[in-house]
């Protein structure tokens, strides 16, 4: 198109300006690193606290990918739908803007709030939860067909902690719905509810207040997400480091590695 | 310019394309959040490990700013100079691309390696270290005049840990040079060397291997950086959250907050 335009247009200055803009545009968003977005509720928002699963991901990929925090405490899938355009602005993928490597979508803990308790305003009926998850996956895959959208189910609820808004049975149903959506969409899924239940003492080991994660719970989420990323081909073995490692330098001529 | 172009050009299709591109460009890089870059060596690269100062910053600003990790283990200021264009690509600030809120520049630990030991290839003479720091600050301020460039001095060296490549005296000199550069540039500086020395047991309390940070050391860096950011006006009190907090919602009409 640039070529045709240069042929047809007689306004040289505009030509130059236009060409300049196209050139700039071609490089727009040329950040050095691909990105992994973490989209979810409070379990995502607090994932960069000490020992958190988000920070662990960022540390793991510290020389290869940016891990971008998009956690919104208290949000359910209904509100997530309302903010998709802001969280993933359409302009992200113009020019050389790279599609994210992956997006984790981690909602359900608030959708599953009981509809007759104080947090009823956060409750989303399970059919709508399912539809919303479908829509979120479709939105992201439509935007970026190459991006791996990884669903994460809500964790179990430890009712010993007396969370009046939640039951483990409800969490289980929402987790099942999430797994079903993933199957229907062909998306990888971390079934956190089931994974945690494999350990008899899961309530104490993985949850600090009946819902949010302990260090052990964070470790499970980190390992499960790393595992899913690896399954779809995203690992330190496959992702190139963007700048030379020191041990690749010749001690007698360290600057040589920076020559292109 | 768009207006003039539309007046003069007769090729409607090109007009539309051009206008479309300008529109796209105007939104290019319109990510929802401003960014804080952490640029440095291994003490930055590992800052997202459990309890790390980088992760703590990301957690602190979890609803307001992205903390972007650009730590390169083993790097000195000479190599940092070689990679500036890749770490901070010129295209970052086209369109609506926002200048970073701040960049931390945290080098010196490797520059200060002794010139007659095994890590001599990492050594940078102190005058060059000073010049390089000046150049890095100038590069960033020239690109983004509004961005706060925060220098961080190398930490002390605990010689009890027997690091054959380093002495605390050398670290002190590089730290002093860093503080001097900051003064000359009018840039905020975290004098980590002096700050840590205020505590008698700093070697054990803040350094795990004579150079890299313990949890306590990470806490100091986090608090000092947060303090400097606050001094230049960047804090949770001044930075707007990009999406509504749940407690700002009307439980009877939670969707109302999403109406623009």
């Amino acid at each position: 198109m640039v070529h045709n335009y240069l042929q047809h247009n007689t306004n040289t200055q505009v030509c130059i300006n236009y060409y300049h803009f196209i050139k700039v545009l071609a490089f727009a968003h040329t950040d050095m690193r691909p990105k992994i977005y973490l989209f979810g509720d409070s379990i995502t928002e607090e994932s960069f606290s000490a020992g958190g699963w988000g920070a662990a991901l960022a540390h793991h990929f510290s020389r290869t990918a940016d891990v971008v925090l998009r956690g919104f405490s208290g949000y359910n899938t209904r509100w997530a739908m309302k903010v998709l355009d802001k969280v993933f602005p359409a302009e992200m993928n113009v020019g050389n803007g790279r599609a994210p490597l992956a997006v984790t979508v981690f909602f359900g803990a608030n959708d599953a709030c009981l509809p007759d308790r104080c947090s009823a305003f956060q409750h989303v009926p399970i059919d709508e939860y399912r539809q919303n998850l479908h829509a979120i996956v479709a939105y992201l895959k439509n935007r970026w067909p190459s991006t791996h959208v990884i669903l994460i189910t809500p964790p179990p609820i430890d009712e010993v902690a007396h969370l009046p808004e939640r039951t483990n049975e409800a969490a289980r149903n929402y987790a099942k719905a999430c797994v079903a959506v993933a199957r229907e969409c062909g998306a990888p899924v971390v079934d956190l509810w089931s994974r945690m239940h494999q350990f008899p003492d899961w309530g104490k080991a993985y949850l600090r207040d009946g819902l949010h994660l302990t260090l052990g719970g964070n470790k499970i989420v980190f390992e499960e997400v790393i595992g899913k990323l690896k399954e779809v081909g995203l690992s330190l073995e496959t992702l190139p480091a963007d700048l030379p490692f020191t041990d690749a330098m010749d001690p007698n001529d360290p600057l040589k590695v920076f020559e292109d």
Side-chain angles (χ1 to χ4, degrees), chain A:
Chain A
M1 194 179 62
V2 173
H3 178 71
N4 287 343
Y5 175 66
L6 292 176
Q7 277 186 330
H8 294 306
N9 196 282
T10 53
N11 183 328
T12 310
Q13 186 54 45
V14 169
C15 257
I16 291 167
N17 286 338
Y18 183 48
Y19 191 66
H20 172 72
F21 269 102
I22 294 292
K23 257 184 71 183
V24 168
L25 195 68
F27 285 101
H29 283 271
T30 311
D31 199 359
M32 74 190 299
R33 287 193 185 159
K35 292 178 173 33
I36 297 169
Y37 281 82
L38 311 184
F39 183 41
D41 56 32
S42 58
I43 306 175
T44 296
E45 182 178 318
E46 64 180 37
S47 70
F48 279 69
S49 58
W53 64 276
L57 277 171
H59 182 56
H60 182 80
F61 289 115
S62 63
R63 291 292 290 270
T64 52
D66 288 332
V67 177
V68 186
L69 180 57
R70 291 293 181 265
F72 303 97
S73 188
Y75 276 41
N76 54 31
T77 54
R78 190 184 289 164
W79 306 342
M81 293 281 292
K82 290 284 176 195
V83 301
L84 274 175
D85 284 338
K86 282 195 178 168
V87 175
F88 303 102
E91 299 75 25
M92 278 170 64
N93 57 339
V94 299
N96 269 8
R98 279 182 287 191
L101 294 175
V103 179
T104 60
V105 177
F106 191 176
F107 289 98
N110 298 311
D111 300 61
C113 279
L114 300 179
D116 56 352
R117 305 290 169 86
C118 285
S119 284
F121 76 106
Q122 289 172 287
H123 170 75
V124 172
I126 197 161
D127 282 344
E128 184 189 338
Y129 168 69
R130 194 191 301 262
Q131 287 166 20
N132 289 342
L133 274 189
H134 259 292
I136 292 168
V137 175
Y139 181 98
L140 294 169
K141 292 298 284 185
N142 180 53
R143 172 78 53 81
W144 300 298
S146 67
T147 296
H148 298 283
V149 180
I150 298 174
L151 294 179
I152 306 177
T153 77
I157 297 295
D158 182 16
E159 295 178 14
V160 173
H162 302 295
L163 296 176
E165 316 295 347
R166 293 171 165 88
T167 64
N168 195 36
E169 180 63 13
R172 184 177 75 99
N173 291 337
Y174 282 71
K176 275 189 171 181
C178 177
V179 171
V181 170
R183 195 182 311 118
E184 288 152 17
C185 297
V189 61
V190 173
D191 182 356
L192 198 58
W193 195 94
S194 299
R195 180 76 186 80
M196 288 188 168
H197 269 275
Q198 289 172 357
F199 187 67
D201 196 27
W202 58 265
K204 276 189 191 155
Y206 302 140
L207 305 173
R208 65 173 159 75
D209 60 359
L211 166 64
H212 295 94
L213 306 176
T214 58
L215 288 182
N218 271 290
K219 191 161 176 285
I220 282 201
V221 177
F222 166 69
E223 286 170 355
E224 292 290 315
V225 172
I226 286 287
K228 290 296 165 194
L229 290 171
K230 196 162 191 166
E231 279 177 22
V232 299
L234 301 174
S235 70
L236 294 184
E237 287 76 40
T238 59
L239 296 170
D242 41 33
L243 288 177
F245 288 102
T246 309
D247 59 10
M249 293 179 183
D250 176 355
N252 296 313
D253 187 7
L255 290 179
K256 194 171 162 56
V257 295
F258 297 109
E259 294 166 10
D260 279 329

